Amino acid sequence: MPPVMDADRMGRTLTRIAHEILERNRGVHELAFVGVRTRGVPIAKRLAARIEEIAGVHVPTGALDITLYRDDLMRHAVGPQPLVRSTEIPFSIDDKKILLVDDVLYTGRTVRAALDALIDFGRPQSIQLVVMVDRGHRELPIKADYVGKNLPTSHQQSVQVLLEEIDGRDEVVIEG
Amino acid sequence: MTIDASVHRGGDEPGRSVPAASLHVKNLLGIADLGADDITLLLDTAVAMKEVGSRAIKKVPALRGKTVVNLFFEPSTRTRTSFEVAEKRLSADTLNIAASTSSVTKGETLVDTALNLEAMAPDMIVLRHASSGACHLLSRVCRSRVINAGDGMHEHPTQALLDAFTIREHKGRLAGLKVAIVGDLLHSRVLRSNLLLLTRMGADVWVSGPTTLIPPGVERFGVRATWRIEEAVEGADVIMMLRIQRERMQGHFFPSLREYFTVFGLTAARARLAKPDVIIMHPGPMNRGVEIASDVADGPYSVILEQVANGVAVRMAVLYLLAGGVMEGV
């Protein structure tokens, strides 16, 4: 199947989302990005770079690992444990407007875990959700504030957001 | 350790695999059972766990609903509290049982005590016992995962892991470092676990102490032994001091504590023989003025209190990884 989004389209989408963030928040005051590991982190960094280009202001960026907050941990008597990676949020999130960034929004369970994790770090003024792809099939009452592309899919399919920083190229593909 | 990139655990996006891994062992009985990849997985996981301890709310829900029994038949401050803090930071429920307050004083055997505790369905038992092999015995009769918190003169695996973690934090690696371990080698479970771990990870290990306290055949671990402390610490990246364990000594191994300090104690002058960026470690409790001079223990090269702090992170990693499963077929 040909890619749903290529590098150009992803680039333009990120620029559009950066403008939307600035418009909706009336500037960059108190904004901070937190990317969900793995692929939310480079997306968050790119958005921060776009905003710096547009508004000339540096917006802090952190990385959040949600493994220890997963709702399916310990549900299996056998089987390996998900790898825990470091969370790095080098700023206080108190009273910040947090932009939580992930690549694909699907069941909403990852976002639920990320919200629980973030609240353990402090009390932000607000949390807004940014995703590259929303593929539907929510299992929790969660909605994205900024969406790169709405992509209706079936449960059997899988959506991959590939990123230069990790995968060597920018592309969104549907498999299966 | 086994990495299975295709593991899919339900809630997340199907098809987007969650990187997962497990240790080769069900229980942590000793470093002897661990491969280099197991050790690396434990140390890498501990890095993430350490960050949890730096948060305002030092607690994550990973082991919610799990029960851990801390069964301690020997006095311990550091190890017991460290395990308990680790368990609480992962949201496990903890039960502390010390031999002095349990039915052991009424004559109950270790196995009976463990089986009775197990009837209450704990998920893990952390055991400290004066007899070597007590954890192996327990692991054969219990369904719960068993973690060795020190058994006799055999092993103390979490201490060796936290030592390795501390070294890696400072030096970035273990392979190729010169590590000098000095003191009461004969009675030390910390020594055995450290020798196994450090040689497995490729460190160049020297041990030193009075010849009466050097275990015969220690060279078979792939380490070099010398009774001259100066030879061991010269050019060392790491100096690890071991406590003189008077409570385990039956007989005379050296004339007096004062003489021991004169010949084998780590003084500032001896520490200067090591590399300029040496780190000085001690598993505690310290005998100041016996194996280590106070000015060295409190000096700028000492990482002794960091070792204690890192103990919590390493034990969190052990608990988290053992709470999962072993890969099928392993």
Side-chain angles (χ1 to χ4, degrees):
Chain A
M1 203 179 281
V4 182
M5 292 175 91
D6 58 15
D8 273 355
R9 178 120 187 243
M10 282 170 75
R12 282 193 296 274
T13 300
L14 286 174
T15 306
R16 189 248 303 157
I17 291 176
H19 281 287
E20 279 181 20
I21 289 169
L22 288 171
E23 182 188 11
R24 218 178 292 178
N25 292 284
R26 299 190 177 87
V28 294
H29 188 61
E30 299 294 358
L31 284 188
F33 284 102
V34 173
V36 177
R37 280 198 196 275
T38 305
R39 288 183 174 70
V41 178
I43 299 177
K45 285 187 180 147
R46 288 194 207 178
L47 284 170
R50 292 278 200 294
I51 285 182
E52 188 156 358
E53 279 168 29
I54 300 163
V57 179
H58 174 73
V59 179
T61 305
L64 182 66
D65 184 79
I66 57 115
T67 308
L68 296 168
Y69 292 83
R70 294 176 65 95
D71 61 5
D72 56 352
L73 269 188
M74 309 297 162
R75 279 170 54 87
H76 304 256
V78 292
Q81 290 282 65
L83 288 177
V84 189
R85 286 150 308 176
S86 285
T87 290
E88 287 154 29
I89 303 182
F91 49 87
S92 164
I93 70 165
D94 283 335
D95 302 318
K96 288 273 189 325
K97 296 182 197 167
I98 298 294
L99 294 150
L100 182 66
V101 184
D102 202 0
D103 55 349
V104 179
L105 178 59
Y106 180 36
T107 62
R109 288 175 193 267
T110 303
V111 175
R112 196 283 311 163
L115 292 174
D116 274 1
L118 271 180
I119 298 302
D120 280 357
F121 280 88
R123 188 178 187 280
Q125 193 185 127
S126 64
I127 302 176
Q128 302 166 40
L129 179 60
V130 186
V131 296
M132 195 60 167
V133 173
D134 180 350
R135 62 170 292 196
H137 303 290
R138 216 77 74 241
E139 293 168 6
L140 295 170
I142 281 167
K143 183 173 159 292
D145 300 279
Y146 310 90
V147 178
K149 185 172 174 58
N150 283 298
L151 203 55
T153 53
S154 79
H155 270 301
Q156 285 70 41
Q157 290 173 314
S158 118
V159 177
Q160 308 283 345
V161 174
L162 305 176
L163 298 169
E164 183 78 45
E165 295 89 329
I166 297 166
D167 310 291
R169 65 182 195 279
D170 281 349
E171 218 167 73
V172 177
V173 290
I174 300 183
E175 288 166 1
Chain B
M1 179 190 75
T2 309
I3 297 255
D4 182 351
S6 68
V7 169
H8 161 53
R9 311 251 318 189
D12 212 78
E13 351 294 342
R16 187 164 77 160
S17 55
V18 181
S22 61
L23 300 171
H24 279 117
V25 292
K26 264 176 69 181
N27 305 295
L28 183 65
L29 304 178
I31 299 294
D33 306 326
L34 302 179
D37 48 356
D38 290 319
I39 292 165
T40 303
L41 173 63
L42 279 160
L43 298 181
D44 289 348
T45 305
V47 173
M49 295 299 182
K50 186 166 181 176
E51 181 273 321
V52 173
S54 68
R55 300 180 188 175
I57 297 177
K58 300 173 182 55
K59 203 176 179 80
V60 291
L63 292 196
R64 217 163 34 145
K66 297 276 177 187
T67 305
V68 185
V69 175
N70 299 315
L71 187 54
F72 277 68
F73 288 89
E74 265 192 339
S76 163
T77 317
R78 243 169 309 273
T79 307
R80 192 186 56 73
T81 4
S82 177
F83 266 109
E84 195 178 343
V85 171
E87 290 150 11
K88 293 199 151 117
R89 287 198 179 155
L90 290 171
S91 303
D93 295 313
T94 62
L95 281 171
N96 291 308
I97 298 163
S100 53
T101 59
S102 72
S103 295
V104 174
T105 53
K106 300 174 191 164
E108 193 173 54
T109 67
L110 169 62
V111 169
D112 282 334
T113 303
L115 290 178
N116 276 278
L117 287 171
E118 192 153 62
M120 297 176 230
D123 298 280
M124 290 191 253
I125 298 176
V126 178
L127 178 68
R128 155 74 60 99
H129 200 281
S131 297
S132 306
C135 299
H136 289 74
L137 174 66
L138 212 64
S139 71
R140 284 197 293 274
V141 298
C142 290
R143 270 173 291 114
S144 320
R145 304 297 165 91
V146 177
I147 298 172
N148 185 352
D151 63 329
M153 293 188 265
H154 178 230
E155 278 226 43
H156 192 352
T158 55
Q159 178 71 43
L161 286 164
L162 76 88
D163 289 341
F165 182 89
T166 308
I167 296 172
R168 219 179 60 158
E169 252 191 350
H170 281 270
K171 307 289 177 193
R173 68 200 159 98
L174 295 167
L177 296 177
K178 179 175 179 183
V179 182
I181 307 180
V182 183
D184 181 351
L185 309 170
L186 190 60
H187 300 95
S188 178
R189 55 192 172 210
V190 174
L191 174 73
R192 184 190 308 265
S193 293
N194 262 308
L195 292 188
L196 289 165
L197 191 155
L198 291 168
T199 52
R200 194 149 298 165
M201 303 310 280
D204 173 25
V205 185
W206 286 69
V207 296
S208 180
T211 42
T212 49
L213 289 175
I214 298 181
V218 72
E219 296 85 358
R220 276 181 299 178
F221 281 98
V223 304
R224 275 174 280 190
T226 171
W227 60 269
R228 285 187 59 239
I229 176 175
E230 291 81 4
E231 192 184 1
V233 301
E234 193 180 357
D237 298 281
V238 178
I239 301 174
M240 200 182 282
M241 300 307 293
L242 296 176
R243 182 171 64 94
I244 292 299
Q245 304 196 35
R246 273 173 288 177
E247 77 279 10
R248 289 190 210 276
M249 287 185 187
Q250 291 158 344
H252 294 283
F253 293 91
F254 47 83
S256 70
L257 292 177
R258 198 162 147 193
E259 183 166 331
Y260 181 88
F261 180 70
T262 311
V263 183
F264 299 102
L266 185 64
T267 56
R270 289 189 174 126
R272 260 179 232 118
L273 298 169
K275 291 231 176 92
D277 63 344
V278 68
I279 58 168
I280 293 166
M281 309 175 74
H282 193 302
M286 268 189 287
N287 293 312
R288 288 171 182 266
V290 180
E291 65 262 4
I292 188 164
S294 260
D295 59 341
V296 177
D298 303 328
Y301 302 100
S302 165
V303 296
I304 295 170
L305 293 176
E306 281 177 46
Q307 286 174 269
V308 180
N310 290 340
V312 175
V314 163
R315 291 177 177 115
M316 286 170 77
V318 169
L319 291 160
Y320 172 76
L321 290 169
L322 287 181
V326 184
M327 296 278 281
E328 285 171 70
V330 171

